[in-house]
Amino acid sequence: MARQAQAGCDQQQNNHNHRENLTLASALPLAGGAQETMSERSLPYRPEIDGLRALAVLSVILFHLNRQWLPGGFVGVDIFLVISGYLITSILYHDLKSDQFGFMKFYQRRIARIFPAFFTVALSTITVAYFIYSEHDLARAGSNLFAASMSLTNIKYMLLGDYFKISLDAEPFMHYWSLSIEEQYYLLFPLLLFVTFRYARNYLVTILALILVISLAGCILFTPVNSVWTFYLLPTRAWELFAGCLLAIVEGNSTGPMRVPAWVPLGGVIL
């Protein structure tokens, strides 16, 4: 079912040119920069996490350079969402269990992690746009930058239609759509995890798994109805984030290193 949902959510890949491909691929480094490294939370460094990031980036780049080279390469975007869910939940769950959690602490770390890269890219882009764009295109780029600053890029482009059919002539901030999904997740998930941990800790995994199933079902059911909205919206992307979230919770509850059967990584690569 998850494979079917993935195929449905990312079906809109027709009629896009080389410039659109490179723009989408550029979203991955920015999304990766929004994720917190394991070393930042005093937990062991996980080289396999960086390995997954590298695979995700390479798969998307290869897919957008030539679709025939790696037909399923677009799944790299979704891998980043799973990684983000895993890392953020690992940080929050660790802090909750050690009684060190604080909303201000979490958002301070998010701002310190995201804003430098965000504004470096944004200011550089809008500066170049000032010299090469017409007044109309510059105004359009400015409005898109404002949407990105408000973490609403995915909503803005959802209202414009199919991601892969929008002209990129004045859309240099289009790749912020995936970062907006993550930022919306950052706004909502810490409160959900805090309340559930505090008042329903014994049902934490059950509640999070239920949310995952509802989001996955929504992705499957609504893709044929409105694939554009399904592609852009957090509720139909949340199951990917919650997949990583559940893995972090299960790992956090284990008393020792998790033992994974040898066939599981191979199965993941095949999928």
Side-chain angles (χ1 to χ4, degrees):
M1 294 287 285
R3 185 175 181 180
Q4 293 175 351
Q6 177 59 52
C9 287
D10 299 326
Q11 186 62 36
Q12 310 165 67
Q13 295 170 5
N14 296 320
N15 302 325
H16 62 289
N17 55 32
H18 183 64
R19 292 173 60 198
E20 289 172 312
N21 294 338
L22 295 179
T23 299
L24 179 58
S26 69
L28 287 175
L30 187 60
Q35 297 169 5
E36 191 153 359
T37 60
M38 303 298 279
S39 60
E40 286 181 304
R41 56 185 178 90
S42 301
L43 293 179
Y45 171 66
R46 300 285 297 275
E48 62 271 26
I49 300 285
D50 282 341
L52 283 173
R53 284 171 168 163
L55 287 175
V57 172
L58 288 174
S59 67
V60 172
I61 290 176
L62 288 174
F63 174 81
H64 288 92
L65 286 175
N66 188 324
R67 242 188 262 184
Q68 302 303 318
W69 292 351
L70 192 62
F74 189 76
V75 75
V77 175
D78 306 277
I79 292 174
F80 263 95
L81 292 178
V82 176
I83 293 174
S84 182
Y86 170 79
L87 291 178
I88 293 302
T89 305
S90 296
I91 296 165
L92 292 172
Y93 196 53
H94 175 269
D95 287 350
L96 284 168
K97 291 199 302 180
S98 59
D99 199 26
Q100 297 177 350
F101 174 78
F103 287 101
M104 292 300 296
K105 175 184 176 182
F106 172 77
Y107 289 116
Q108 182 181 29
R109 288 191 299 193
R110 291 295 87 214
I111 291 171
R113 185 70 178 171
I114 295 174
F115 276 29
F118 179 99
F119 284 109
T120 297
V121 173
L123 291 176
S124 300
T125 302
I126 204 68
T127 299
V128 173
Y130 176 80
F131 291 102
I132 66 175
Y133 277 2
S134 66
E135 291 185 3
H136 178 269
D137 287 346
L138 181 62
R140 185 182 182 91
S143 69
N144 293 336
L145 175 58
F146 177 77
S149 302
M150 297 293 103
S151 303
L152 295 173
T153 305
N154 59 325
I155 304 297
K156 178 177 176 59
Y157 285 109
M158 179 191 74
L159 298 176
L160 292 179
D162 189 336
Y163 178 94
F164 297 100
K165 295 180 181 179
I166 297 175
S167 171
L168 294 185
D169 289 341
E171 308 293 346
F173 300 107
M174 198 171 184
H175 60 276
Y176 278 87
W177 72 269
S178 59
L179 182 59
S180 291
I181 289 177
E182 289 196 51
E183 290 171 340
Q184 291 160 17
Y185 167 74
Y186 297 156
L187 288 175
L188 300 173
F189 181 71
L191 179 60
L192 170 66
L193 186 62
F194 173 78
V195 172
T196 307
F197 183 88
R198 178 66 63 89
Y199 300 106
R201 185 172 181 179
N202 292 336
Y203 302 98
L204 179 60
V205 172
T206 301
I207 292 172
L208 297 179
L210 179 62
I211 295 174
L212 184 153
V213 170
I214 292 173
S215 173
L216 177 57
C219 183
I220 295 171
L221 294 174
F222 288 109
T223 293
V225 177
N226 193 324
S227 60
V228 173
W229 286 37
T230 305
F231 178 87
Y232 279 116
L233 289 176
L234 174 62
T236 46
R237 287 279 186 176
W239 66 273
E240 297 167 328
L241 291 155
F242 275 81
C245 166
L246 283 173
L247 180 60
I249 297 295
V250 172
E251 183 182 60
N253 288 336
S254 63
T255 56
M258 293 182 63
R259 298 185 179 277
V260 179
W263 58 267
V264 171
L266 178 60
V269 171
I270 293 174
L271 288 174

